[in-house]
Amino acid sequence: MNDLDLNTLLGAEDDEGSPRRRSRSAKRGGRRRRRRRNRGRFLAPLLAFVVLAGIIGGGGYYGYLWLSDALVPDDYTGQGTGEVVIEIKQGQSASEVAQELERQGVVASAKAFVNAVSNANMSASLQPGSYKLRKKMSAASAAAALAPANKLLATVQLKEGLRLSQTFAELAKQTGKPAKDFAAAAKDVDALDLPPYAKGKLEGYVFPATYQFQPKTTPKEMLAEMVDRFKQAAEQADLEAGAKALGHTPHEIIVIASIVQAEAGRTEDMAKIARVIYNRLDRKPPMKLQMDSTTMYALGKYGTAATNAETKTRHPYNTYYVDGLPPGAITNPGDHAIDAALNPAKGDWLYFVATDPKSNVTKFATTEAEFNQLLAEYRANGG
């Protein structure tokens, strides 16, 4: 057996390769590796912290600006300048309104406006309509300007007894829209949703009242709203049932009301004038109405005093010429005239005369002789 085999069997090696030396060396190497690994675990977070501290320390000012911009949105100060009309549409949310305000240069940022509306508890108070604002307003000022009380509205007052042509003129005067646009809109009667008994005639169904229209309301929309207002008045007066009880159609009642409106100088005389109309219609044979107001309507004139020559005009609206009622209304009657047509006073009168044009006093007669006496009184008073 050679020396190598003997050494192998004895487990002996040279000094450097002896098992004892390798074991001690391995243990020392493992400890060193563990120490290096531990130092690495400690240094990595430390290095990250140092880098982060450097970023925050070196760029802290810019970081602050970024955070400020993210948390505090851009906003103007003051009430702004110039003029901008903003329309809030039906169903728009506060954020949608905010985006429009930013787009038109009213506020610096949509976020600032949303915050202002939220802080003022106004989110549910933004109402559809047009509002006058300014360029470069603070968000809080813009929110305050959109309060419902600041809504832009055109107030239109239409008195009782106006004809359709007069109504168009008044609407044009009070809204600034051309009268011809209202006349054109009136031709599209289907779009105005007239009641079926109106027979497609708008005259008489544009209710006289006070209206408030937004700037962008079209002539057609205005007329439709006035027709809708008429339908409300008709429902309150129970027009259809009342007409049936009197043996007339609702349209005939409106025609009668329109004549009452044109002829009456005072509200208290309306029910008596309505009775004169019914008494003439109910006579056997019927008696012509002979209302000067209808003759003047046929001629395109105004007033209630037609000349003898004018009463001979051949026209379906001239009640000196035709029997019964004219085919349509001659004015747009109000509540009092409609009520009078539905509730005529009791009496046998067949005539009436406004004996004093200055005071609008109207007197009534049952015979032609009494009527002539009233005419003489009228003429004596300058009529």
Side-chain angles (χ1 to χ4, degrees):
M1 181 177 292
N2 59 32
D3 293 337
L4 178 62
D5 293 335
L6 182 60
N7 290 335
T8 302
L9 289 172
L10 293 173
E13 293 185 0
D14 56 32
D15 291 341
E16 290 183 6
S18 68
R20 288 189 297 272
R21 288 182 178 273
R22 284 201 304 270
S23 176
R24 287 194 297 270
S25 177
K27 288 179 181 178
R28 287 194 297 270
R31 285 194 295 269
R32 285 195 296 271
R33 285 193 295 273
R34 283 195 296 272
R35 283 196 295 270
R36 284 196 297 271
R37 284 197 297 269
N38 289 339
R39 285 196 298 271
R41 290 192 189 100
F42 173 75
L43 288 174
L46 179 61
L47 180 60
F49 175 78
V50 171
V51 171
L52 180 60
I55 291 173
I56 295 175
Y61 174 71
Y62 297 102
Y64 169 77
L65 291 180
W66 181 84
L67 287 172
S68 296
D69 184 62
L71 298 176
V72 182
D74 291 339
D75 197 1
Y76 296 125
T77 59
Q79 300 296 316
T81 59
E83 184 177 301
V84 182
V85 175
I86 296 294
E87 181 185 10
I88 298 178
K89 296 181 175 63
Q90 186 71 40
Q92 273 191 317
S93 65
S95 60
E96 290 172 328
V97 174
Q99 292 168 13
E100 179 65 14
L101 292 175
E102 181 180 346
R103 188 185 70 80
Q104 295 207 34
V106 175
V107 296
S109 65
K111 180 63 175 175
F113 177 78
V114 170
N115 288 346
V117 167
S118 178
N119 292 337
N121 295 320
M122 287 182 59
S123 297
S125 301
L126 295 177
Q127 293 186 4
S130 297
Y131 300 82
K132 187 183 294 184
L133 287 85
R134 297 179 178 181
K135 295 276 190 180
K136 297 185 177 181
M137 301 179 73
S138 70
S141 297
L146 292 177
N150 296 330
K151 189 185 300 185
L152 291 178
L153 295 170
T155 301
V156 175
Q157 293 180 314
L158 298 173
K159 64 181 183 180
E160 296 88 347
L162 294 179
R163 295 180 187 174
L164 202 54
S165 57
Q166 292 174 300
T167 299
F168 296 158
E170 278 299 313
L171 286 168
K173 177 182 177 181
Q174 297 184 48
T175 67
K177 301 180 186 295
K180 63 182 179 62
D181 290 356
F182 291 98
K187 294 178 181 178
D188 189 5
V189 291
D190 291 336
L192 301 179
D193 196 25
L194 283 165
Y197 52 77
K199 300 182 178 181
K201 297 180 184 296
L202 186 58
E203 186 82 86
Y205 298 94
V206 177
F207 196 77
T210 298
Y211 296 90
Q212 289 188 318
F213 299 118
Q214 295 185 27
K216 292 189 177 181
T217 305
T218 66
K220 186 177 293 185
E221 290 169 338
M222 291 183 193
L223 293 178
E225 184 172 335
M226 296 166 73
V227 170
D228 187 61
R229 178 65 182 81
F230 165 82
K231 288 190 278 190
Q232 293 176 30
E235 184 176 355
Q236 290 172 357
D238 202 7
L239 174 63
E240 294 190 49
K244 185 176 181 180
L246 289 167
H248 290 275
T249 66
H251 180 66
E252 289 173 336
I253 296 298
I254 296 304
V255 173
I256 292 170
S258 75
I259 297 173
V260 170
Q261 187 75 70
E263 293 281 351
R266 303 182 305 176
T267 302
E268 54 263 42
D269 295 326
M270 286 183 171
K272 289 184 176 182
I273 293 174
R275 172 51 64 192
V276 170
I277 294 172
Y278 284 115
N279 286 345
R280 289 191 169 217
L281 291 174
D282 293 341
R283 280 177 72 88
K284 304 294 183 184
M287 182 179 180
K288 282 185 167 60
L289 292 183
Q290 296 181 330
M291 298 289 167
D292 287 12
S293 57
T294 64
T295 303
M296 302 303 272
Y297 183 86
L299 295 169
K301 297 181 179 181
Y302 296 92
T304 55
T307 66
N308 186 56
E310 288 171 337
T311 62
K312 300 184 184 307
T313 302
R314 293 174 175 267
H315 194 282
Y317 277 81
N318 178 15
T319 55
Y320 281 89
Y321 171 70
V322 298
D323 294 325
L325 293 167
I330 63 170
T331 66
N332 290 284
D335 286 317
H336 294 300
I338 294 173
D339 181 69
L342 287 170
N343 300 283
K346 294 181 179 180
D348 296 329
W349 313 291
L350 290 171
Y351 308 90
F352 63 88
V353 178
T355 55
D356 186 354
K358 294 180 181 179
S359 65
N360 290 324
V361 170
T362 298
K363 294 184 178 181
F364 297 81
T366 56
T367 66
E368 189 170 356
E370 293 172 344
F371 171 62
N372 288 329
Q373 290 177 355
L374 295 179
L375 281 178
E377 186 177 345
Y378 165 71
R379 295 188 183 104
N381 288 327

